[in-house]
């Protein structure tokens, strides 16, 4: 087994272990909140009902978006970005990089590729043997090129990219709401247990643990969520935020940002009623994206290379 395969194998095992740990934690919090907290600790019936209803709304939305993030596997480039057998043969026969680029430049004329490397070369994945569409990157953990790639997240054992970014963003949002709700409703009872204002019961330590864990989670999740709000607003992936993009024949600073309203629609879809629901609403095919240049120069109607 070579190192690359060993890394893939470890990534898969680590990923499923992380998912199992996250689900176990979630089940533990659910049990503590519903049984130990709402049923055995809270005394007012009205309070019990309100807490249960709102908690279940947040829990269901969290579980739904988590499931969708895990189950929507990475989208890969369409066949048109593959090199034909003849082109691959030319690649093998010629070792010179310049010659490779000549072939790629020629093929890329037919494809909606706007971004290039820093040196102006067409981006090509030697592992997958394909020309990379804009915003596509090779993921070492998944061992494939992933469309509109953000990063590989072990907590969902999946790549976050074109196929599931909306669900991932919603997952962050609902985890944050869930943690906030558990902390705000549970804190006063945790304080009363801590100061012995409430008599000791078997629920004391599970409730203290639950509030503590959710408070720590909240500290991590809020900055991540704010960062992703910023990325959505700018229509950038986390990968693009780390490395600047280089465009062919377009001013580089324009990027893929289309203005806030359109940037939101690029991730959440055209219909606002579905923005909070983890359902399919994504636009486009993930291989080509409108650019800021087209927005500011609509008469161009595409860019002539
Ligand atoms: Zn690749
Ligand atoms: Zn991946």
């Amino acid at each position: 087994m070579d190192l690359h395969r060993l890394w893939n194998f470890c990534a898969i095992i680590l990923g499923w272990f992380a998912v199992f740990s996250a689900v176990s934690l979630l089940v533990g919090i659910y049990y503590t909140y519903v049984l130990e907290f709402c049923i055995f600790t809270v005394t007012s019936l009205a309070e019990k009902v309100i807490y249960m209803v709102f908690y279940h709304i947040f829990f269901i939305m969290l579980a739904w978006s988590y499931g969708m993030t895990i189950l929507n596997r990475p989208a890969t480039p369409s066949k048109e970005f593959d090199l034909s057998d003849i082109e691959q043969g030319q690649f093998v026969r010629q070792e010179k990089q310049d010659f490779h680029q000549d072939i790629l430049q020629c093929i890329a004329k037919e494809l909606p590729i706007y971004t290039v490397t820093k040196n102006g070369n067409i981006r090509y994945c030697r592992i997958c043997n394909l020309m990379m569409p804009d915003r596509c990157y090779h993921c070492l953990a998944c061992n494939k090129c992933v469309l509109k790639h953000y990063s590989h997240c072990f907590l969902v054992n999946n790549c976050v990219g074109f196929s599931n970014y909306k669900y991932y963003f919603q997952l962050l949002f609902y985890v944050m709401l869930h943690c906030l709700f558990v902390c705000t409703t549970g804190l006063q009872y945790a304080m009363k247990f801590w100061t012995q204002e409430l008599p000791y019961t078997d629920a004391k330590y599970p409730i203290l643990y639950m509030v503590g864990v959710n408070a720590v989670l909240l500290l991590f999740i809020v900055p991540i969520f704010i960062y992703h709000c910023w990325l959505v607003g700018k229509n950038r992936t986390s990968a693009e935020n780390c490395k600047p993009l280089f465009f062919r024949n377009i001013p580089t600073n324009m990027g893929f940002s289309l203005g806030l309203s359109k940037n939101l629609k690029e991730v959440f879809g055209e219909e606002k009623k579905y923005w909070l629901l983890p359902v399919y609403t994504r636009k486009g095919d993930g291989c080509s994206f409108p650019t800021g240049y087209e927005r500011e120069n609509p008469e161009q109607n595409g860019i002539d290379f």
Side-chain angles (χ1 to χ4, degrees), residues 139 142 152 159:
C139 173
C142 297
H152 189 92
C159 251

Side-chain angles (χ1 to χ4, degrees), residues 79-96 99-111 124 126 129-131:
K79 290 278 175 222
E80 59 182 338
F81 290 86
D82 288 344
L83 260 60
S84 68
D85 291 344
I86 297 169
E87 287 151 358
Q88 281 192 34
Q90 289 174 319
F91 255 58
V92 174
R93 282 194 297 278
Q94 277 285 349
E95 286 183 2
K96 277 189 176 174
F99 186 79
H100 289 177
Q101 270 304 313
D102 287 347
I103 297 173
L104 294 177
Q105 295 277 1
C106 191
I107 307 167
K109 281 182 183 166
E110 309 294 322
L111 295 170
Y124 177 74
R126 295 193 176 278
N129 266 328
L130 54 79
M131 280 184 293

Side-chain angles (χ1 to χ4, degrees), residues 16-35:
W16 285 119
F17 177 73
V19 169
F20 175 75
S21 306
V23 170
S24 305
L25 181 69
L26 201 57
V27 170
I29 291 172
Y30 179 87
Y31 167 83
T32 309
Y33 193 88
V34 173
L35 263 86

Side-chain angles (χ1 to χ4, degrees), residues 50 59 88 97 113 260 263:
I50 292 169
F59 184 84
Q88 281 192 34
Q97 290 292 319
I113 293 176
L260 183 61
N263 289 348

Side-chain angles (χ1 to χ4, degrees), residues 277-290:
L277 293 176
V279 293
Y280 181 97
T281 54
R282 62 176 179 263
K283 293 173 70 185
D285 59 1
C287 291
S288 61
F289 300 89

Side-chain angles (χ1 to χ4, degrees), residues 74 139-144 146 149 151-153 158-160:
C139 173
L140 287 174
C142 297
N143 196 28
K144 59 177 80 164
V146 177
H149 182 247
S151 59
H152 189 92
C153 177
N158 202 359
C159 251
V160 177

Side-chain angles (χ1 to χ4, degrees), residues 125 127-128 138 144-145:
C125 178
I127 301 170
C128 306
H138 186 89
K144 59 177 80 164
C145 277

